[in-house]
């Protein structure tokens, strides 16, 4: 039972880290779910109030930052709400339409199309697309760092408590 629990926990951690880059996977939620798998299959004893407060705070920050960082990238490059919405749609649909490359092309095209729909000139629409890519990459870095922190804290709590 313990081996199965650890396998599931590690698989959820891997899914979570891949989800930091590939937005159709649950990301931080998968990492958070791993704590419950560990608790249900092995025991909740290592986890106290501080563990749950810290991990939940990181999870909430990640969920908010995921959208905020991307939107900031678009706004920084002069994009409007239309390009923020377009880049979000592109980020979600891109990987399905064009596997792998859709991660980059989707947000870029979504932002550009969003700007063009509202009548923005071509050059500014392209800038918004670049902003969407900058926001995407910035978001990935933030997610990778915070999700790595979540996993490290888990191991610290499990092995040092």
């Amino acid at each position: 039972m313990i081996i199965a629990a650890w396998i599931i926990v590690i698989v959820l951690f891997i899914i979570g880290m891949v989800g930091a880059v590939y937005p159709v996977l649950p990301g931080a939620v998968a990492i958070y779910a791993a704590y419950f798998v560990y608790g249900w299959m092995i025991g909740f004893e290592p986890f106290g109030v501080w563990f749950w407060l810290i991990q939940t705070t990181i999870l909430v920050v990640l969920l908010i930052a995921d959208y905020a960082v991307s939107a900031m990238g678009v706004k920084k490059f002069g994009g409007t709400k239309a390009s923020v919405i377009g880049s979000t749609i592109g980020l979600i649909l891109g990987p399905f339409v064009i596997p792998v490359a859709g991660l980059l092309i989707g947000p870029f095209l979504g932002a550009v199309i969003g700007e063009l729909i509202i009548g923005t000139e071509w050059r500014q629409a392209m800038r918004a697309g670049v902003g969407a890519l900058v926001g995407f990459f910035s978001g990935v870095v933030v997610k990778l760092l915070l999700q790595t922190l979540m996993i490290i804290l888990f191991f610290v709590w499990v092995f040092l408590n």
Side-chain angles (χ1 to χ4, degrees):
M1 183 75 142
I2 291 175
I3 293 172
W6 276 108
I7 290 170
I8 295 169
V9 166
I10 298 301
V11 167
L12 285 169
F13 285 166
I14 292 167
I15 290 170
M17 294 307 283
V18 173
V21 178
Y22 202 68
V24 295
L25 293 176
V29 174
I31 294 170
Y32 200 79
Y35 309 151
F36 288 97
V37 168
Y38 181 90
W40 289 323
M41 294 181 80
I42 296 175
F44 283 100
E45 294 81 29
F47 310 135
V49 172
W50 283 107
F51 174 83
W52 292 109
L53 284 173
I54 292 168
Q55 294 290 12
T56 303
T57 301
I58 295 171
L59 177 68
V60 169
V61 166
L62 270 165
L63 294 175
I64 293 169
D66 192 17
Y67 296 102
V69 171
S70 294
M72 284 172 30
V74 172
K75 295 280 189 185
K76 187 93 169 153
F77 281 73
T80 65
K81 192 173 190 175
S83 53
V84 172
I85 293 169
S87 69
T88 302
I89 293 169
L91 184 62
I92 294 167
L93 296 180
F96 293 110
V97 177
I98 308 167
V100 183
L103 279 173
L104 301 175
I105 296 169
F108 177 81
L109 280 180
V112 170
I113 292 168
E115 286 295 322
L116 292 174
I117 287 173
I118 64 166
T120 304
E121 76 171 48
W122 181 254
R123 175 172 273 160
Q124 182 54 39
M126 294 296 283
R127 280 183 48 118
V130 170
L133 287 177
V134 169
F136 171 72
F137 285 120
S138 300
V140 167
V141 169
V142 168
K143 287 188 282 186
L144 287 172
L145 290 172
L146 289 176
Q147 289 179 192
T148 300
L149 178 62
M150 289 175 77
I151 293 169
I152 289 170
L153 289 173
F154 168 80
F155 284 113
V156 166
W157 246 269
V158 167
F159 291 115
L160 296 181
N161 283 326

